[in-house]
Amino acid sequence: MSDVVIVRTGVANLASVLAGLRRLGVTPDVTTDPAAVRAAQAVILPGVGAFGAGMAALHEHDLAAPLKERAAAGRPLLSVCLGLQLLASSSDEAPGVPGLGVFDAHVARFPDTVKVPQLGWNKVAPDAGCRLLEPGYAYFANSYRLPEAPAGWSAARAEHGGPFIAALEKGALLACQFHPELSGPWGLALLDRWLTAAREA
Amino acid sequence: MLTHRVIPCLDVKDGRVVKGIRFQGLTDAGDPTDAAARYEAEGADELVLLDVSATPEGRGHAVDTVRAVRAVLSIPLTVGGGLRTIDHASALLDAGADKVSVNTAAVRDPSFIDRVAGRFGSQCAVVAVDAARRIGGPGWEVVVHSGKERTGIDAIAWARECAARGSGELLLTSWDKDGTKSGYDLELLTAVSEAVNIPVIASGGAAHPDHLVEAIHAGASAVLAASIFHYAEYTVGAVKDVLAARGIEVRRG
């Protein structure tokens, strides 16, 4: 059994995140078991398709409560792409569907003044409170984003039709709108720093 | 700001890279894994792997190739070539592709785009649009089967339909320009980029970094090239230096 667990939430493509972790010497367990999500030292909530389907998958496996508990207790959790959005309270992508509500924020679609989806590398600028996030270029693949940082979180921002939240962190909680596993050496170094923080937490 | 991407393309046949690559010091020029790792180290923003195998047996190697490449690659990987079914797309994604590129199967049955986007998400659904100027008329038409068959379908209207059906990105190749080394078809690029609000990757005709600059000025979000890199005329890093010197924002390591 690994101390790192990846939440399987449906048709998510896990191959890239698994390959990234393997390069860091980690072979995580992939699970839909709420008990495993509660027990693990470190949990990864990867990006999957759409907001509504993502929440439905979490509810189907009774995973919403253990994920909210982890976040509330500040126990190590990495959320990637849609994973970050699921922490919010709602999204333009699925009106009326509540998110996990880890923070009170609404996820909105990018404006039509820019190409949507955002596909490619964008410059990430962390604020002074960030400990895990460093400046650099990260790979994004998203049509929706968090326009502003919720209270109590340190944030890294990027620009696509105005500023948006590239990542959030609070202790051993890290949420990335970008894909660290696809962001080259910069992204792998971030994954490594989070794993270290998660194991020390 | 979102940077403009430089994307090398690897043509793979029966699990081996074709169109010889002449990297210095590469132990095995035909090994897709070695080539992929080298491109990432040079600063490639993404990689496209195009399976050009002529037989089902040859195409059967693609999943193994993708798995091997994914093990060494920490940038996005798009895989295309002969993709006909959701099961095939699913196998490639499970093996480590981040996006799949569909072409002829989508032209034959446009609902294939809806199914790929619906199942895996728009960010995963690339449509390769192969276009050629109409003979004796204005505009461009879609071609399939490696350019051998003209369909009569208007390329601009087809690009709009792909986006409306959920494609998240178009890989636009000019069959008039492909292999000519005379630069991309800039009029086609501008027409398609203005017609859709999804990213357009320019392909076909690049032989010099200035061609990539022109394509970006014409509206391309990313530029794909094969021979310019394979024959080591330019490294990816050298091409990005030229783009940066021309005022185009690119990712630097």
Side-chain angles (χ1 to χ4, degrees):
Chain A
M1 210 179 99
S2 176
D3 61 340
V4 181
V5 154
I6 297 186
V7 181
R8 183 189 291 283
T9 43
V11 295
N13 173 18
L14 299 178
S16 293
V17 71
L18 285 168
L21 289 167
R22 277 195 201 106
R23 279 195 292 281
L24 297 171
V26 176
T27 305
D29 291 335
V30 179
T31 189
T32 55
D33 178 10
V37 171
R38 281 196 172 91
Q41 178 66 21
V43 170
I44 298 174
L45 179 63
V48 281
F51 190 92
M55 283 310 302
L58 292 183
H59 288 308
E60 184 191 339
H61 298 289
D62 294 321
L63 289 165
L67 287 167
K68 286 172 77 162
E69 288 162 21
R70 284 197 79 94
R75 295 182 60 216
L77 175 66
L78 168 63
S79 308
V80 175
C81 197
L82 179 72
L84 176 152
Q85 299 177 10
L86 294 177
L87 301 181
S89 39
S90 57
S91 171
D92 279 354
E93 192 175 13
V97 175
L100 290 170
V102 167
F103 44 72
D104 183 21
H106 178 74
V107 178
R109 193 174 162 87
F110 280 116
D112 286 340
T113 50
V114 287
K115 296 276 182 184
V116 183
Q118 169 183 224
L119 281 175
W121 297 76
N122 207 329
K123 193 185 242 173
V124 171
D127 68 26
C130 290
R131 292 190 311 115
L132 298 172
L133 293 155
E134 290 183 358
Y137 288 98
Y139 183 81
F140 292 83
N142 61 312
S143 298
Y144 301 84
R145 88 294 191 226
L146 210 56
E148 289 164 29
W153 293 72
S154 296
R157 290 172 177 78
E159 294 269 341
H160 190 59
F164 70 95
I165 299 304
L168 295 168
E169 64 166 274
K170 184 162 73 173
L173 302 178
L174 175 64
C176 301
Q177 181 59 68
F178 54 83
H179 289 269
E181 76 279 13
L182 297 177
S183 295
W186 179 89
L188 287 184
L190 174 63
L191 274 180
D192 202 26
R193 286 194 297 278
W194 174 75
L195 283 166
T196 301
R199 284 168 168 164
E200 288 168 354
Chain B
M1 264 223 358
L2 199 57
T3 61
H4 288 91
R5 288 167 285 159
V6 176
I7 308 176
C9 177
L10 287 175
D11 284 5
V12 174
K13 186 178 187 184
D14 306 333
R16 302 281 294 167
V17 177
V18 293
K19 290 188 181 172
I21 297 182
R22 293 183 195 165
F23 289 130
Q24 294 287 319
L26 213 57
T27 50
D28 179 358
D31 178 7
T33 308
D34 282 358
R38 176 60 68 99
Y39 279 137
E40 178 179 332
E42 283 185 1
D45 293 312
E46 271 184 60
L47 209 60
V48 167
L49 197 153
L50 192 63
D51 184 21
V52 296
S53 301
T55 63
E57 294 77 27
R59 279 195 289 276
H61 291 290
V63 166
D64 295 331
T65 302
V66 169
R67 192 173 291 118
V69 167
R70 172 45 66 203
V72 302
L73 198 70
S74 50
I75 57 174
L77 175 65
T78 300
V79 180
L83 203 61
R84 295 276 185 280
T85 65
I86 289 290
D87 283 350
H88 189 189
S90 187
L92 293 169
L93 292 166
D94 282 344
D98 301 294
K99 308 184 234 182
V100 290
S101 172
V102 301
N103 189 341
T104 304
V107 176
R108 298 280 187 243
D109 174 12
S111 76
F112 190 45
I113 301 169
D114 304 63
R115 284 181 280 130
V116 171
R119 174 81 181 270
F120 307 112
S122 285
Q123 82 293 335
C124 193
V126 180
V127 180
V129 174
D130 292 353
R133 286 178 183 267
R134 283 190 194 278
I135 296 165
W140 299 264
E141 64 183 307
V142 175
V143 299
V144 293
H145 284 305
S146 306
K148 288 193 274 288
E149 183 188 332
R150 288 176 172 264
T151 65
I153 298 166
D154 179 69
I156 309 301
W158 173 238
R160 281 201 190 93
E161 182 174 350
C162 293
R165 288 181 178 275
S167 170
E169 188 166 55
L170 300 180
L171 172 53
L172 178 66
T173 302
S174 160
W175 279 87
D176 304 302
K177 290 288 196 169
D178 199 47
T180 65
K181 298 194 166 196
S182 60
Y184 300 95
D185 185 335
L186 301 177
E187 282 181 59
L188 171 67
L189 256 177
T190 299
V192 172
S193 298
E194 287 177 353
V196 298
N197 197 40
I198 58 176
V200 175
I201 305 172
S203 163
H208 188 276
D210 284 340
H211 292 148
L212 280 63
V213 173
E214 291 167 1
I216 289 166
H217 287 154
S221 293
V223 282
L224 179 133
S227 53
I228 185 174
F229 300 129
H230 291 346
Y231 297 107
E233 290 161 19
Y234 300 91
T235 64
V236 177
V239 164
K240 284 184 149 185
D241 287 342
V242 174
L243 265 53
R246 302 282 197 281
I248 293 167
E249 189 172 357
V250 291
R251 173 182 71 110
R252 312 310 293 269

